[in-house]
C-alpha cells in the first residue's frame, strides 16, 4: 500500500510539475534588478514595493542597482538569467518603451522578457514658463503658431520621454518649437524657470514644486484620468487629443520562458501589495499611482507603448544611433 501511494504521488508530481514548482516557490531570496543608481525615484519605488512584496511571498527581495548604459546593462543581465523566478527586473518606460524605439539595443524588449505586472505610473505635464501668455492648451498652441521659430522646449535628453512626448504634441498640433536637450531633468526645468526655454513635458513629481510655487504653469497632463495631485488640470484627452496617454510607468518583468504558475504567483502577490492603501501613500511622494494589471494586460501595454514610440520616432526622424 505504501509503495502504491508513493507511486501515485510521484505520478501526480510528474503530471503537475508547474503546480509543484509554484507551491515550493520561492525557497530563497529573489534578486530584483533596478536599472538606475540608488537614491532616485525609480529606486525608491522598487524598495517600497519589494519590501511588502517579499513579506507577501515569504522571502525577501534583494535590490540590485545596475545603472549602466541607460538601462541596457540591467536588461541584458535580467534577460540572460535563469527563468526560475529568482531574478526579476523593474522595467520602465525607457527600457521597454522609448529606448528600443529610438536606438538599437542588445535585447528584445518583448521577446526576451516575461511580463509579471505593472506597478504604477505618473503622468507628464505640459508646463510653461509663467510669463508665457497662455492660460490653457488652445491659447498655448495659438501662441506658438503666431511665433514660428521663436519658442523652444527643453527635455531630459534625446530620446527621453520628455523629448518624445513633446514631439508627439508637435506632431498632433502642427506647432513648431526648437528642441533643446539637456543632461537630465533638473537643468531642463531650471531653464524653463529662467525663461531660456518656454515649455516642456516633465514628469509630474519633478514639476510639482515649481507648479505650486507659481514659477511654472501647468496646462494639461498626459493619461486618461486627472492626477489627484493636480485635480484642476485637464488631461490631453479632455482638451481634444484622444489617446494622448504617454506615461512614465514602472513594472516588473523576468527572463523569457518563466513557468506560468510562478508568474501567476508573483502577479497575484504584487497586485495584493499594490492594493494596500498605505502603499499608495508611499508612492505619492513620486506622484505615482498604483496601477495593478494581469501579466497579459501588462504585456499588451508594453507592446503598445513600444509601437507608439517607434511610430513617432519614424515619423519625426528620431534615430539616435545613426
Amino acid at each position: 500500500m505504501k509503495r502504491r501511494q508513493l507511486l501515485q504521488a510521484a505520478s501526480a508530481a510528474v503530471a503537475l510539475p508547474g503546480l509543484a514548482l509554484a507551491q515550493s516557490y520561492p525557497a530563497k531570496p529573489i534578486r530584483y534588478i533596478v536599472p538606475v543608481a540608488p537614491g532616485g525615484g525609480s529606486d525608491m519605488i522598487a524598495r517600497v514595493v519589494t519590501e511588502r512584496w517579499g513579506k507577501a511571498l515569504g522571502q525577501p527581495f534583494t535590490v540590485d542597482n545596475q545603472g549602466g548604459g541607460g538601462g541596457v546593462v540591467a536588461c541584458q543581465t535580467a534577460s540572460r538569467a535563469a527563468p526560475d523566478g529568482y531574478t526579476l527586473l523593474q522595467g520602465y518606460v525607457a527600457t521597454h518603451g522609448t529606448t528600443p524605439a529610438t536606438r538599437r539595443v542588445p535585447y528584445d524588449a518583448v521577446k526576451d522578457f516575461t511580463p509579471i505586472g505593472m506597478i504604477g505610473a505618473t503622468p507628464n505635464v505640459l508646463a510653461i514658463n509663467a510669463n508665457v501668455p497662455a492660460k490653457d492648451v488652445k491659447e498655448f498652441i495659438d501662441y506658438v503658431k503666431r511665433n514660428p521659430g521663436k519658442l523652444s522646449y527643453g527635455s531630459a535628453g534625446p530620446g527621453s520621454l520628455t523629448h518624445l512626448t513633446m514631439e508627439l504634441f508637435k506632431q498632433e498640433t502642427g506647432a513648431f518649437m526648437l528642441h533643446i536637450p539637456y543632461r537630465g531633468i533638473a537643468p531642463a526645468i531650471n531653464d524653463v524657470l529662467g525663461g531660456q526655454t518656454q515649455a516642456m513635458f516633465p514628469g509630474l513629481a519633478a514639476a510639482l514644486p515649481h507648479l505650486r510655487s507659481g514659477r511654472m504653469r501647468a496646462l494639461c497632463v498626459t493619461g486618461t484620468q486627472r492626477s489627484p495631485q493636480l485635480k484642476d488640470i485637464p488631461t490631453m484627452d479632455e482638451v481634444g487629443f484622444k489617446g494622448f496617454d504617454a506615461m512614465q510607468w514602472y513594472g516588473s518583468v523576468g527572463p523569457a520562458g518563466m513557468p506560468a504558475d510562478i508568474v501567476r504567483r508573483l502577479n497575484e502577490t504584487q497586485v495584493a501589495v499594490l492594493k494596500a492603501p498605505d502603499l499608495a501613500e508611499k508612492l505619492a511622494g513620486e506622484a505615482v499611482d498604483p496601477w495593478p494589471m494581469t501579466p497579459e494586460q501588462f504585456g499588451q501595454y508594453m507592446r503598445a507603448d513600444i509601437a507608439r514610440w517607434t511610430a513617432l520616432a519614424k515619423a519625426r526622424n528620431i534615430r539616435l544611433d545613426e
Side-chain angles (χ1 to χ4, degrees):
M1 178 64 71
K2 187 176 291 187
R3 183 171 180 271
R4 185 182 303 146
Q5 290 173 333
L6 287 171
L7 288 171
Q8 288 173 340
S11 297
V14 171
L16 297 170
L19 179 61
L21 191 62
Q23 287 176 338
S24 63
Y25 172 86
K28 62 182 181 179
I30 299 168
R31 181 189 188 192
Y32 193 73
I33 300 173
V34 181
V36 296
S42 183
D43 179 58
M44 183 280 286
I45 292 164
R47 293 177 188 276
V48 167
V49 171
T50 57
E51 179 187 5
R52 291 159 175 75
W53 199 2
K55 291 177 181 177
L57 284 165
Q59 287 287 348
F61 281 76
T62 302
V63 174
D64 179 5
N65 295 90
Q66 295 190 11
V72 170
V73 172
C75 285
Q76 286 185 286
T77 302
S79 67
R80 294 170 179 170
D84 54 9
Y86 290 103
T87 300
L88 305 179
L89 169 75
Q90 182 165 286
Y92 71 117
V93 67
T95 59
H96 289 73
T98 57
T99 297
T102 56
R103 68 195 77 187
R104 294 188 189 91
V105 290
Y107 63 88
D108 189 306
V110 174
K111 295 179 181 179
D112 291 347
F113 298 92
T114 299
I116 294 168
M118 179 74 83
I119 292 172
T122 184
N124 283 43
V125 53
L126 177 54
I128 61 174
N129 177 278
N131 293 323
V132 174
K135 303 300 183 185
D136 58 35
V137 175
K138 183 180 183 304
E139 289 184 4
F140 179 64
I141 295 170
D142 290 342
Y143 179 71
V144 175
K145 289 184 175 180
R146 289 197 311 270
N147 294 274
K150 295 181 180 179
L151 278 73
S152 59
Y153 77 92
S155 79
S160 66
L161 184 63
T162 52
H163 173 205
L164 297 186
T165 304
M166 188 62 88
E167 287 300 312
L168 181 60
F169 179 77
K170 288 167 60 179
Q171 177 179 264
E172 297 208 2
T173 61
F176 175 77
M177 288 177 284
L178 181 66
H179 175 215
I180 308 295
Y182 293 80
R183 298 187 67 178
I185 195 71
I189 287 179
N190 284 340
D191 272 8
V192 175
L193 297 176
Q196 286 86 359
T197 58
Q198 288 71 47
M200 68 178 301
F201 258 110
L204 182 54
L208 270 176
H210 311 293
L211 297 174
R212 288 170 175 164
S213 72
R215 298 181 67 195
M216 290 171 64
R217 182 182 305 124
L219 300 183
C220 62
V221 295
T222 59
T224 57
Q225 296 182 338
R226 293 195 181 196
S227 168
Q229 314 235 23
L230 289 177
K231 294 180 181 178
D232 295 332
I233 304 301
T235 65
M236 289 291 291
D237 192 84
E238 286 180 87
V239 298
F241 296 91
K242 302 300 179 183
F244 200 115
D245 58 350
M247 301 286 282
Q248 174 80 31
W249 58 263
Y250 307 87
S252 57
V253 299
M258 287 178 59
D261 285 338
I262 287 182
V263 173
R264 189 177 304 112
R265 176 155 168 71
L266 285 166
N267 177 263
E268 289 173 352
T269 48
Q270 184 190 68
V271 167
V273 166
L274 295 177
K275 289 183 176 179
D278 69 316
L279 186 81
E281 295 173 9
K282 289 281 188 180
L283 297 184
E286 288 298 317
V288 170
D289 295 320
W291 208 358
M293 293 182 183
T294 65
E296 294 76 19
Q297 289 170 332
F298 182 41
Q300 183 178 3
Y301 185 93
M302 285 195 294
R303 290 191 295 273
D305 215 41
I306 293 169
R308 175 214 312 278
W309 299 125
T310 299
L312 177 75
K314 183 177 181 180
R316 307 295 290 180
N317 195 28
I318 300 169
R319 196 69 202 173
L320 305 179
D321 50 14
E322 295 178 352

